[in-house]
Amino acid sequence: MNYNKHTALRLEWSEVGHIASQAIVDILGRSITCVGKRDDETYWEIQFVDYQMPLSEKFKILERIGVTKELQREYESTIATSLFMEASKKLLRYALKIEYAEEIISPRYLWLVGVEEKVASFRPGSVTGNVCHKTLSSKTGGTK
């Protein structure tokens, strides 16, 4: 039986919000308090605390993190109180300068599995997420 080993990053939901807030400072040049919110085991998003984001700021963020124009149009509105899940994922990847294969959404944590670092640039200085050095294995053919 072959097992695939993966690196994982475990982030508490409060850390997700903190990371998002720091990335938004990098993009907009000003602070907006954010929280990471889990709806259920299939959906999470970044929400703005006591802030309704104007369309101009929302699109500046979406453009910087690489959300396609087509997807941006799908989520057009006059104000935003959160980023939809796909944009939240992209903002996290932008902030942490990582790629990952998949996520596990639990009540306490957002687990990013199959983490690979991108080449440097912006990375929040106070990220306290835990890299899991234990082996996460899956029973699939072949090794990674």
Side-chain angles (χ1 to χ4, degrees), residues 63-121:
E63 187 174 298
R64 175 71 82 73
I65 63 176
V67 174
T68 65
K69 296 283 186 199
E70 188 174 278
L71 194 54
Q72 287 180 32
R73 278 191 293 276
E74 204 173 306
Y75 291 95
E76 275 186 9
S77 64
T78 54
I79 56 169
T81 57
S82 66
L83 292 177
F84 53 95
M85 190 164 106
E86 287 306 312
S88 296
K89 290 178 182 184
K90 285 184 175 287
L91 186 64
L92 209 53
R93 284 182 166 106
Y94 168 86
L96 296 173
K97 293 300 179 219
I98 61 170
E99 287 297 331
Y100 57 90
E102 60 185 292
E103 322 169 317
I104 300 169
I105 304 167
S106 77
R108 278 187 70 191
Y109 304 107
L110 175 63
W111 286 86
L112 308 178
V113 181
V115 174
E116 295 179 11
E117 285 193 47
K118 292 182 188 176
V119 178
S121 190

Side-chain angles (χ1 to χ4, degrees), residues 20-52:
S21 294
Q22 288 184 312
I24 288 172
V25 167
D26 180 60
I27 296 168
L28 297 179
R30 64 185 197 81
S31 181
I32 296 171
T33 303
C34 300
V35 293
K37 286 286 187 180
R38 170 194 183 269
D39 270 357
D40 57 33
E41 64 278 347
T42 64
Y43 188 86
W44 69 277
E45 66 183 12
I46 293 168
Q47 295 179 352
F48 312 125
V49 177
D50 298 325
Y51 185 70
Q52 294 183 339

